[in-house]
Amino acid sequence: MKIQKVDISQVKENKDNPRFINEDKFKKLLKSIKEFPEMLELRPIVVNEDMVVLGGNMRLKACKEAGLKKVNIIQASDLTEKQQKEFIIKDNVGFGSWDWDMLA
């Protein structure tokens, strides 16, 4: 799998994403993308062979709102449908906790 840069119009939002997009978190993501767009090169959107998002729905929405014309993707075309569903869930789960003292 390699990172590709594609027209943002080619990437399709996943209508079956089980995660809600919190407006406050979305605004923070949008601000982050505008201030540090290079981040998107390090964290591409993961799509299936049909260009439907498996990981990065909120990033895709923020990229569109930020006016980006192209996005970086990784196409995970070798995953079964079951693996795609598992990826969607596991990609949206936060496993750790923040060390607030270290972040300060």
Side-chain angles (χ1 to χ4, degrees):
M1 287 183 260
K2 67 176 192 156
I3 297 174
Q4 304 169 52
K5 188 168 270 212
V6 300
D7 287 338
I8 199 166
S9 62
Q10 290 181 265
V11 184
K12 301 171 194 152
E13 179 182 334
N14 189 330
K15 303 290 186 197
D16 295 326
N17 184 356
R19 190 170 186 203
F20 292 107
I21 297 177
N22 173 292
E23 190 62 31
D24 184 51
K25 288 183 180 181
F26 177 77
K27 287 179 183 177
K28 288 177 183 176
L29 176 62
L30 181 59
K31 181 179 183 219
S32 175
I33 286 172
K34 287 178 177 179
E35 292 175 353
F36 185 36
E38 297 84 3
M39 171 191 76
L40 297 169
E41 293 176 29
L42 302 171
R43 191 123 190 265
I45 295 169
V46 179
V47 299
N48 67 13
E49 65 277 355
D50 297 320
M51 298 296 282
V52 175
V53 174
L54 300 178
N57 256 346
M58 190 158 67
R59 269 178 282 140
L60 176 62
K61 182 179 177 187
C63 287
K64 286 179 178 179
E65 190 156 321
L68 299 182
K69 303 294 182 209
K70 294 192 177 277
V71 290
N72 291 301
I73 64 159
I74 291 180
Q75 197 166 31
S77 54
D78 56 342
L79 299 179
T80 66
E81 190 168 331
K82 181 181 178 191
Q83 289 173 319
Q84 289 181 38
K85 289 178 181 179
E86 186 175 347
F87 181 89
I88 290 167
I89 292 168
K90 289 184 176 181
D91 186 60
N92 281 303
V93 174
F95 286 105
S97 299
W98 291 108
D99 180 337
W100 294 106
D101 292 330
M102 184 180 284
L103 287 174

